[in-house]
Amino acid sequence: MPVSRTGRPPVQRAPRRPAPARPPHENPVQRLYSRARKAWDRPLTAYYLILGGSLLITVLGLVMVYSASQITALQLSLPGSYFFRKQFLAALIGGVLMFVASRMPVKLHRALAYPILAGAVFLMVLVQVPGIGMAVNGNQNWISLGGSFQIQPSEFGKLALVLWGADLIARKQERKLLTQWKHMLVPLVPATFMLLGLIMLGGDMGTAIILTAILFGLLWLAGAPTRLFAGVLSVAGLIGVVLIKTSPNRMARLACIGATEPKSGVADCWQAVHGIYALASGGLFGSGLGASVEKWGQLPEAHTDFIFAVTGEELGLAGTLSVLALFAALGYAGIRVAGRTEDPFVRYAAGGVTTWIIAQAVINIGAVLGLLPIAGVPLPLFSYGGSALLPTMFAIGLLIAFARDDPAARAALAMRQPRFGRKRAGGPGAERGPRRWNTMRRRASAARTSGER
């Protein structure tokens, strides 16, 4: 055995452990992607997307309504902020409806399905009564409330169909009746056709298309067989073709798809072409807020159906892509709420609302871009019109309520506590918890040495 110089045996050292393998270096893009994916998978993501996305769309819509409607108001000898004030009042009322709907339990939403449907049908019947109903732009779909205030009952028919259809299909699913085609279609399809008939009596085919999209969305979510789904789609398509062929106005709108210059005759395509002009002149960042040229009498309905064109002219490609991104986020959040719930009513209602908003947005934006015929439907939450804004904001409140009702989201909301002013458990006389800054100061003091100042 070897001996050291001091005569003592050498110390036996333990063998070195191999250094732990370092994780592979993660580049900034991968790190950002992983963080975004974690944030995307959080329980409250859908809740924040619906709440934040809808509020941003509404606020941006108010700004664009004010900008796009000033010239129209002055041409009608009205104050420049006339349409903006009416839209702002409707947004305030809609905000109250959205808050109330977001706080209502699911059972109360189901209980309101039949009263809302009955009220919508009653108002749509009143539209056809002479002396009560009003015609706007050739469509007999309005009721005057006195003064400059009007209401379009067909907009509330969308909300009624979503709630009533979701409740009907959910009750049939609970009784295991959806396996029979007659229970899948009756009375959902006849009731929808009744609403479509009342709407088409006034000539509003745009709203009828939205109701048809809601019907197909509900049938798709209910698991309708492909053969049954295709049959209903064929019947609806045949009726649509007949309605278009028998109307010169609708044929003219169909002929304006892809038009790049006005035409002579019935299909002048003036509105469609000037909408393209507005988008083309916007460039990347637009001409500036309020600096639109097309709204000076060249573009009809600049603050309603074609407000997206004015947005493209004043805010450019960046503004239009922002609006599209907000609608895409809203649609994703609605699909996520419908896909993660176990309540059949919530699934069908969330899917119906999402179908309604996204289908209407696609039809409006597609018409402005010249890809679809002009259907006369507003851009949800964005265009001018209180009759469209109120039921849409109530429907957004439905989505918020459903997103909050998710078990994981409910647990996450229960864990959130206010940072200041919250008392500990133990009754009203319990001591307050230490302030955050005070706790940090004590930690810093404990870390110092005795002679440190």
Side-chain angles (χ1 to χ4, degrees):
M1 181 176 183
V3 181
S4 64
R5 294 181 181 179
T6 58
R8 298 178 181 177
V11 180
Q12 296 292 333
R13 295 182 179 180
R16 291 184 179 181
R17 297 180 179 178
R22 294 183 179 181
H25 181 68
E26 189 178 21
N27 58 42
V29 177
Q30 291 178 347
R31 191 182 306 114
L32 181 62
Y33 173 76
S34 61
R35 290 180 180 178
R37 188 172 182 179
K38 289 180 181 179
W40 204 253
D41 291 335
R42 290 178 180 175
L44 293 176
T45 297
Y47 170 74
Y48 288 128
L49 283 178
I50 296 170
L51 179 61
S54 60
L55 290 180
L56 285 175
I57 294 173
T58 305
V59 172
L60 183 58
L62 287 173
V63 174
M64 293 312 305
V65 165
Y66 180 68
S67 175
S69 64
Q70 287 181 330
I71 306 304
T72 304
L74 294 176
Q75 289 175 345
L76 297 175
S77 301
L78 297 171
S81 60
Y82 174 78
F83 293 104
F84 168 76
R85 285 181 293 175
K86 291 184 63 177
Q87 185 75 355
F88 183 73
L89 177 61
L92 290 179
I93 299 175
V96 174
L97 291 177
M98 184 177 71
F99 176 78
V100 172
S102 66
R103 296 292 176 174
M104 290 169 53
V106 176
K107 292 183 179 180
L108 186 54
H109 286 304
R110 299 188 68 168
L112 289 176
Y114 282 87
I116 292 178
L117 178 64
V121 171
F122 176 73
L123 291 176
M124 281 191 279
V125 171
L126 285 182
V127 167
Q128 307 304 324
V129 177
I132 298 179
M134 293 181 56
V136 177
N137 295 330
N139 292 338
Q140 183 83 12
N141 280 308
W142 297 83
I143 294 177
S144 176
L145 299 180
S148 61
F149 292 95
Q150 303 167 352
I151 187 174
Q152 188 177 3
S154 57
E155 293 291 339
F156 295 89
K158 304 172 186 176
L159 178 63
L161 179 59
V162 167
L163 285 177
W164 177 77
D167 177 68
L168 176 69
I169 300 176
R171 285 190 288 107
K172 290 195 173 187
Q173 179 177 339
E174 293 169 357
R175 299 177 183 177
K176 300 180 180 180
L177 298 176
L178 293 181
T179 55
Q180 306 177 26
W181 67 268
K182 59 180 181 181
H183 287 288
M184 180 79 70
L185 298 181
V186 180
L188 178 62
V189 174
T192 305
F193 281 0
M194 177 192 66
L195 294 175
L196 293 175
L198 291 174
I199 292 173
M200 289 306 301
L201 284 177
D204 188 4
M205 190 169 184
T207 305
I209 293 175
I210 305 300
L211 257 71
T212 306
I214 295 174
L215 171 63
F216 288 141
L218 292 174
L219 290 176
W220 181 272
L221 291 170
T226 306
R227 185 180 305 174
L228 184 63
F229 196 84
V232 178
L233 183 62
S234 301
V235 173
L238 180 62
I239 295 175
V241 169
V242 172
L243 293 175
I244 292 175
K245 287 287 187 180
T246 55
S247 173
N249 183 30
R250 298 188 187 113
M251 288 296 297
R253 292 186 180 187
L254 194 64
C256 291
I257 296 178
T260 56
E261 59 182 12
K263 302 177 182 179
S264 59
V266 180
D268 58 358
C269 303
W270 180 272
Q271 187 180 25
V273 170
H274 280 272
I276 297 296
Y277 290 169
L279 291 172
S281 61
L284 187 59
F285 296 105
S287 58
L289 194 61
S292 171
V293 176
E294 291 293 333
K295 68 182 181 183
W296 286 76
Q298 300 296 324
L299 180 62
E301 307 296 335
H303 60 297
T304 55
D305 299 344
F306 271 68
I307 194 172
F308 189 77
V310 180
T311 303
E313 185 179 4
E314 295 187 351
L315 302 183
L317 181 64
T320 54
L321 289 181
S322 299
V323 175
L324 291 176
L326 289 173
F327 275 108
L330 193 60
Y332 167 80
I335 294 173
R336 177 169 171 165
V337 170
R340 294 194 174 189
T341 184
E342 296 181 358
D343 189 337
F345 172 78
V346 173
R347 181 183 304 110
Y348 299 134
V353 171
T354 306
T355 303
W356 161 17
I357 294 176
I358 299 304
Q360 187 165 326
V362 169
I363 292 173
N364 178 275
I365 296 174
V368 174
L369 295 176
L371 303 176
L372 296 174
I374 300 174
V377 296
L379 189 58
L381 302 173
F382 202 84
S383 297
Y384 170 79
S387 295
L389 185 62
L390 294 182
T392 306
M393 294 195 75
F394 187 89
I396 294 294
L398 283 177
L399 289 179
I400 294 175
F402 298 155
R404 290 170 56 93
D405 195 59
D406 181 73
R410 210 164 43 233
L413 289 172
M415 291 177 62
R416 295 193 311 178
Q417 296 180 359
R419 294 182 178 179
F420 303 103
R422 187 177 181 87
K423 296 182 179 181
R424 295 180 179 178
E431 296 181 357
R432 288 182 180 269
R435 304 278 186 178
R436 187 176 181 182
W437 64 270
N438 197 15
T439 305
M440 294 178 66
R441 185 173 62 179
R442 287 203 302 271
R443 290 177 180 174
S445 302
R448 296 175 180 172
T449 60
S450 59
E452 189 177 354
R453 291 290 183 268

